[in-house]
Amino acid sequence: MGEPPGYRPSAWVHLLHQLPRADFQLRPVPSGFAPQEQEYQQALLLVVALAGLGLGLSLIFIAVYLIRFCCCRPPEPPGAKSPQPGGGCVTWSCVAALLVSCAGIGIGFYGNSETSDGVSQLSSALLHANHTLSAVDHLVFETVERLGEAVRTELTTLEEVLTHRTELVAAARGARRQAEAVAQQLQGLAFWHAVPLSPLQVAEDLSFVEEYRWLAYVLLLLLELLVCLFTLLGLAKQSKWLVIVMTVMSLVVLVLSWGSMGLEAAAAVGLSDFCSNPDTYILNLTQEETGLDSDILNYYFLCNQAVSNPFQQRLTLSQRALANIHSHLQGLEREAVPQFPSAQKPLLSLEETLNVTEGNFHQLVALLHCRGLHKDYGAALRGLCEDALEGLLFLLLFSLLSAGALATALCSLPRAWALFPPSDDYDDTDDDDPFNPQESKRFVQWQSSI
């Protein structure tokens, strides 16, 4: 099938499309996009399950590491105040992991923006297509109504005026038949009228979902950024309570990162399958939802020389009928006006209606050509298969960096706070504060001496 103008499947689409897929029984699944089939759904769920497996292995590794650190640590000699060897390395490894996480957050913001831009381009293309289809319907109904009004009023009046000339009445009736034929042919051009599928509604639904998706990722990115900043602050201040709280928050963000990674991976794989050959799926889905003939859908989605315009016959017959009406009116104006001056007014009105109808007809010819709607189709695919897919891949990279960095930080933070001096909670305490443990001990000794 032909590809939309300006759209070619990218290297990422080909690479992801070539990845093997399997269902829950690990049986191979074809990589064709078929979301309605159970095997394909299981293949995407298996991709999400791989992220869950990664989360489980990560948590097991962290737990084993921390248990080994707590249980297998050699006892400190009493009164030892010197720092343990390797303490600086532990702290700096934790700082490096947090800096990597911050870099991943920047990548995540970029990926979130790219995905949003792709969906916005898709919504804009749908809105423009809806405008084109609505314009076709509006022009058709306006022209048919105008012709019907002309048949009911001006042509009827003209026939009454020309009653005594049989040949002139026959010419007027011929113009009436041609006008009715034009109206009948034009009514068949409003092919999207009464179709249950509305591009406007689809665009609004996409924008609604995208708004909440974008907001959810922004909140996730900001949460991870705050966790990194406050963790670095806790390490700099050697505040044990702040580091403990941020360790718990890092565990929460780690779970969220692995969850988002599974969703992003499944979405990227499914989107690559769709973008590798979108025409087949879109044609079948649109025909199922709208009930339109395949000739019409092939014409607009493929738009090549191998597919002819399904409305060409109607347009040709309408153009001939308009030319015949124009010929009849010219003949009546030449023959009837000198003998029946009262026929001039309805003839002028009919000429004006004919001019407006011809203008609307030329607009319909331009709107019904496949170039406009096919261009919208190509813009929608570029937004979805280029910008949105690229954004998903950047979000996937963010989740991967975030999961690795937070796992490293979770292993390093307990060792880091174990190196903090035990008096860190009282460093900022005033010496005259009665709640200071040292001042309280001196106060008790003073009372005993009294």
Side-chain angles (χ1 to χ4, degrees):
M1 289 189 177
E3 293 174 343
Y7 170 72
R8 296 291 184 274
S10 63
W12 285 112
V13 170
H14 289 298
L15 179 62
L16 293 173
H17 185 62
Q18 297 300 323
L19 294 178
R21 290 152 179 76
D23 57 12
F24 290 161
Q25 286 76 33
L26 300 182
R27 294 175 299 189
V29 174
S31 57
F33 187 68
Q36 71 280 359
E37 295 183 3
Q38 185 178 3
E39 291 79 6
Y40 189 80
Q41 296 173 3
Q42 291 181 359
L44 294 183
L45 289 176
L46 191 61
V47 175
V48 179
L50 290 178
L53 178 62
L55 172 61
L57 294 176
S58 179
L59 293 178
I60 292 174
F61 173 78
I62 293 172
V64 171
Y65 182 86
L66 294 181
I67 291 174
R68 181 179 178 277
F69 167 71
C70 296
C71 299
C72 302
R73 183 173 54 177
E76 297 182 4
K81 296 183 179 180
S82 61
Q84 297 180 6
C89 181
V90 171
T91 303
W92 281 110
S93 64
C94 183
V95 171
L98 293 174
L99 292 178
V100 170
S101 181
C102 291
I105 292 171
I107 294 174
F109 273 110
Y110 176 77
N112 195 36
S113 176
E114 281 293 301
T115 304
S116 181
D117 290 343
V119 177
S120 298
Q121 187 174 349
L122 172 60
S123 299
S124 298
L126 288 171
L127 291 175
H128 192 269
N130 182 77
H131 175 74
T132 301
L133 295 172
S134 300
V136 170
D137 292 343
H138 176 72
L139 283 174
V140 167
F141 295 140
E142 179 187 0
T143 306
V144 170
E145 183 179 358
R146 186 181 291 272
L147 287 174
E149 184 68 19
V151 169
R152 290 190 299 269
T153 56
E154 284 86 357
L155 282 173
T156 301
T157 302
L158 191 61
E159 291 177 8
E160 293 174 354
V161 171
L162 303 176
T163 304
H164 302 291
R165 293 287 302 274
T166 307
E167 70 278 9
L168 297 180
V169 172
R173 289 177 178 173
R176 174 194 289 270
R177 287 193 298 271
Q178 294 296 329
E180 291 173 347
V182 170
Q184 183 180 3
Q185 294 296 332
L186 291 180
Q187 284 178 345
L189 299 179
F191 66 96
W192 202 261
H193 177 62
V195 169
L197 181 63
S198 171
L200 176 61
Q201 186 62 42
V202 175
E204 291 178 350
D205 293 342
L206 281 174
S207 299
F208 178 79
V209 174
E210 171 59 21
E211 180 180 356
Y212 282 95
R213 186 211 63 80
W214 177 87
L215 180 60
Y217 266 99
V218 167
L219 293 177
L220 175 60
L221 291 165
L222 291 178
L223 175 62
E224 183 169 350
L225 180 61
L226 290 176
V227 168
C228 292
L229 293 179
F230 277 105
T231 304
L232 291 173
L233 178 63
L235 292 174
K237 291 287 188 178
Q238 294 190 345
S239 176
K240 186 174 293 188
W241 68 268
L242 183 57
V243 172
I244 292 175
V245 172
M246 290 302 105
T247 301
V248 177
M249 293 301 299
S250 298
L251 183 61
V252 174
V253 177
L254 176 67
V255 175
L256 294 177
S257 297
W258 277 104
S260 65
M261 187 189 305
L263 295 177
E264 293 150 7
V269 170
L271 193 56
S272 69
D273 293 339
F274 168 78
C275 295
S276 63
N277 185 17
D279 294 340
T280 303
Y281 179 76
I282 290 294
L283 280 171
N284 294 334
L285 179 63
T286 308
Q287 187 172 14
E288 180 182 348
E289 294 292 333
T290 62
L292 294 175
D293 293 337
S294 59
D295 295 340
I296 297 176
L297 298 179
N298 287 328
Y299 176 68
Y300 286 110
F301 282 117
L302 303 182
C303 193
N304 53 36
Q305 296 179 353
V307 183
S308 60
N309 188 344
F311 305 110
Q312 188 61 49
Q313 184 177 2
R314 289 182 178 273
L315 293 174
T316 302
L317 293 176
S318 298
Q319 189 174 19
R320 290 176 182 174
L322 288 174
N324 291 334
I325 295 173
H326 195 72
S327 177
H328 284 304
L329 294 182
Q330 285 182 342
L332 288 173
E333 187 176 4
R334 188 171 54 253
E335 299 291 337
V337 171
Q339 302 179 27
F340 304 95
S342 59
Q344 185 174 8
K345 184 177 180 180
L347 280 174
L348 291 176
S349 179
L350 285 171
E351 287 285 352
E352 180 182 358
T353 300
L354 182 62
N355 292 333
V356 174
T357 301
E358 288 179 339
N360 291 346
F361 177 77
H362 291 305
Q363 292 185 48
L364 280 172
V365 171
L367 289 173
L368 287 171
H369 197 276
C370 65
R371 285 192 302 267
L373 289 174
H374 191 64
K375 185 178 179 180
D376 295 332
Y377 176 51
L381 287 182
R382 288 193 301 274
L384 189 63
C385 299
E386 293 179 3
D387 293 341
L389 181 59
E390 179 184 353
L392 277 175
L393 293 176
F394 276 107
L395 287 175
L396 185 61
L397 178 59
F398 148 71
S399 299
L400 186 62
L401 291 176
S402 174
L406 289 175
T408 303
L410 284 170
C411 291
S412 303
L413 283 176
R415 296 189 63 184
W417 86 54
L419 299 174
F420 293 169
S423 59
D424 68 312
D425 294 334
Y426 308 110
D427 285 345
D428 299 331
T429 309
D430 189 1
D431 291 340
D432 296 332
D433 188 357
F435 295 100
N436 187 339
Q438 301 296 329
E439 184 64 23
S440 299
K441 184 181 295 185
R442 287 196 295 268
F443 180 73
V444 172
Q445 292 174 356
W446 178 75
Q447 278 187 331
S448 302
S449 63
I450 293 178

